[in-house]
Amino acid sequence: PVCLAVSEPTPVDYLGGLRITSISAGYWHSLALSECDVPYSWGWNNNGQLSISPENGMQCYPVELFDDDCHVVMISSGRQHSAFLHADGKVYVYGFNKYGQCNPLKQSDQHFL
């Protein structure tokens, strides 16, 4: 897909009537967290930083992440990785891991963790 450039502040219409409580911007991707603890991601996904397979490439529209039983309470974006704090206290990180930013014990060029 081709995402169009935006030169002025523009609402993210694809989030519909969702009440968003938190947002985070990475280098070329963004995350949003709804009041129902459901995260959404969109943008460049070459390293799986959207927490979906990197084969999906560019996502011009927000994608709902995880399943209905998952409750994410905090989101954070890095340059090419994203982190999610779940209500159970576990942290999940996705994306570029060459320098161990997703998992220092598995430092490699692995992209989707």
Side-chain angles (χ1 to χ4, degrees), residues 20-35:
I20 301 300
T21 58
S22 180
I23 58 171
S24 182
Y27 198 63
W28 286 323
H29 71 289
S30 299
L31 303 175
L33 185 63
S34 77
E35 69 179 343

Side-chain angles (χ1 to χ4, degrees), residues 4 16 33 38 42 45-46 48 68 79 81 86 91 94 99 106:
L4 303 175
L33 185 63
V38 176
W42 64 97
N45 189 46
N46 67 316
D68 293 337
R79 182 177 175 129
H81 63 284
H86 291 230
V91 175
Y94 299 85
Y99 305 105
K106 294 184 178 181

Side-chain angles (χ1 to χ4, degrees), residues 6-7 18 30 38 51 56-57 61 65 68-69 85 94 101 109:
V6 177
S7 59
L18 294 172
S30 299
V38 176
S51 81
N56 291 330
Y61 311 108
L65 306 177
D68 293 337
D69 294 332
L85 174 62
Y94 299 85
Q101 59 269 54
D109 285 329

Side-chain angles (χ1 to χ4, degrees), residues 38-103:
V38 176
Y40 296 82
S41 64
W42 64 97
W44 194 34
N45 189 46
N46 67 316
N47 291 304
Q49 60 265 42
L50 300 184
S51 81
I52 57 177
S53 172
E55 295 173 2
N56 291 330
M58 180 75 68
Q59 293 293 328
C60 295
Y61 311 108
V63 176
E64 183 176 333
L65 306 177
F66 310 122
D67 60 31
D68 293 337
D69 294 332
C70 174
H71 296 281
V72 173
V73 297
M74 191 178 294
I75 55 175
S76 183
S77 302
R79 182 177 175 129
Q80 293 185 50
H81 63 284
S82 300
F84 302 88
L85 174 62
H86 291 230
D88 63 7
K90 293 181 181 176
V91 175
Y92 294 85
V93 186
Y94 299 85
F96 190 64
N97 192 46
K98 185 174 184 177
Y99 305 105
Q101 59 269 54
C102 293
N103 184 344

